[in-house]
Amino acid sequence: MQMRYCGSHEIFKLPTNLYNFPATRKVVDVIQVIKDDSTNSKVKRALLGAKKKERIKLPSYKNACVGEMYHISQFLKHPTGVEAMLNVNALESYVLIDTNTYRCKLPPIQLLNFEVAPVLDLEVTPASECCIVELLSCKFEGSEIVENQNQYFSATMKNFISWNITGSESFLEVDVKLNITLEIYNRPFTLLPVSTIERPGNLVLQALLDRFVPLLLQQLLQDYDAWITQQRRNLP
């Protein structure tokens, strides 16, 4: 995500290559941002937030060998399913750094006049009824100036993936919550109300999730279908 300030107007640009699917439009929730009311600190902080929940119908895949259904939980616990949730095709690299924790490096992006490479530590926790992908840390790699900005920025994200049955149909649901804290430390931003950053910032985050979540669901279904095909090929 790129943000650029120009005069009295904020200009935000979104990455266009998160997934190779057309964008979808949905009615969005209004995000309430809680202000930092601390009077003891002179530091201004913008608190940005967005959330998005969506579900999609799951196809039925039967394992003819044992007469049972392939369940989505089997896929998400499999290494292929973990890679699908991390969207490794959109990453420059990723590596396992701890149990269920991956360090994911995104391709460099242009932020103002600098090249920035976001590095995310993501924890993937599969369970019998759900799967949680949680952002543990987010840093930027690049020039010394870029990396110095890490101390003024923090982010949290939790992606709760679950499945349920309604009537005779099964559904996969994704519920994402994203929060970012930005320290305002230089002019002209220190002279402006925090709301001048929070309002457009919230719109950018919401637009990002509105695009990201439906495409994530579509990608998961595609990868799930490919995994099922491979499992059937491996049957004796």
Side-chain angles (χ1 to χ4, degrees):
M1 178 172 57
Q2 303 181 44
M3 294 185 282
R4 181 161 56 112
Y5 188 86
C6 181
S8 60
H9 301 280
E10 294 83 4
I11 300 174
F12 295 86
K13 294 183 178 180
L14 293 175
T16 57
N17 60 345
L18 285 174
Y19 292 91
N20 295 320
F21 293 96
T24 58
R25 299 182 63 184
K26 292 282 184 180
V27 177
V28 303
D29 296 328
V30 175
I31 305 303
Q32 180 180 3
V33 179
I34 301 175
K35 302 293 191 300
D36 184 358
D37 293 325
S38 173
T39 58
N40 297 325
S41 175
K42 295 182 180 180
V43 177
K44 284 186 176 182
R45 290 183 175 87
L47 306 179
L48 314 179
K51 62 182 180 180
K52 180 70 174 177
K53 180 188 290 187
E54 192 159 324
R55 70 174 188 167
I56 194 169
K57 182 180 176 181
L58 282 169
S60 297
Y61 296 108
K62 190 171 183 178
N63 185 339
C65 187
V66 297
E68 297 178 355
M69 303 298 294
Y70 285 107
H71 197 274
I72 185 69
S73 61
Q74 296 174 266
F75 167 65
L76 295 179
K77 289 179 181 179
H78 192 272
T80 302
V82 173
E83 290 181 352
M85 288 184 287
L86 294 175
N87 189 25
V88 297
N89 292 331
L91 301 176
E92 184 174 281
S93 64
Y94 73 101
V95 61
L96 181 68
I97 59 174
D98 200 353
T99 305
N100 296 333
T101 303
Y102 299 82
R103 179 155 294 159
C104 305
K105 185 174 182 179
L106 293 167
I109 59 176
Q110 291 295 321
L111 181 61
L112 299 179
N113 293 322
F114 301 97
E115 187 175 82
V116 178
V119 179
L120 314 176
D121 285 354
L122 296 170
E123 182 181 55
V124 181
T125 307
S128 58
E129 297 180 355
C130 66
C131 184
I132 299 173
V133 181
E134 186 170 4
L135 174 65
L136 303 181
S137 71
C138 176
K139 301 294 182 184
F140 297 115
E141 291 185 354
S143 66
E144 182 178 352
I145 294 176
V146 167
E147 295 186 0
N148 284 341
Q149 304 308 305
N150 287 323
Q151 62 183 308
Y152 303 109
F153 164 88
S154 64
T156 62
M157 183 276 293
K158 183 169 285 189
N159 182 3
F160 188 81
I161 303 170
S162 60
W163 40 90
N164 56 74
I165 299 175
T166 302
S168 59
E169 297 180 332
S170 297
F171 293 88
L172 182 67
E173 184 174 276
V174 170
D175 185 0
V176 181
K177 293 180 176 65
L178 175 62
N179 294 282
I180 293 178
T181 301
L182 297 174
E183 185 174 317
I184 306 169
Y185 64 94
N186 61 349
R187 295 191 178 211
F189 302 105
T190 54
L191 303 177
L192 300 173
V194 174
S195 59
T196 60
I197 295 175
E198 289 179 338
R199 287 170 184 165
N202 286 330
L203 291 174
V204 166
L205 291 188
Q206 191 62 60
L208 177 64
L209 290 191
D210 288 345
R211 177 173 173 79
F212 169 78
V213 171
L215 301 183
L216 172 62
L217 281 169
Q218 292 289 341
Q219 186 67 56
L220 283 173
L221 285 191
Q222 285 195 7
D223 292 341
Y224 181 34
D225 182 77
W227 181 76
I228 292 295
T229 300
Q230 186 60 46
Q231 298 306 302
R232 288 173 172 170
R233 288 175 181 170
N234 293 336
L235 289 175

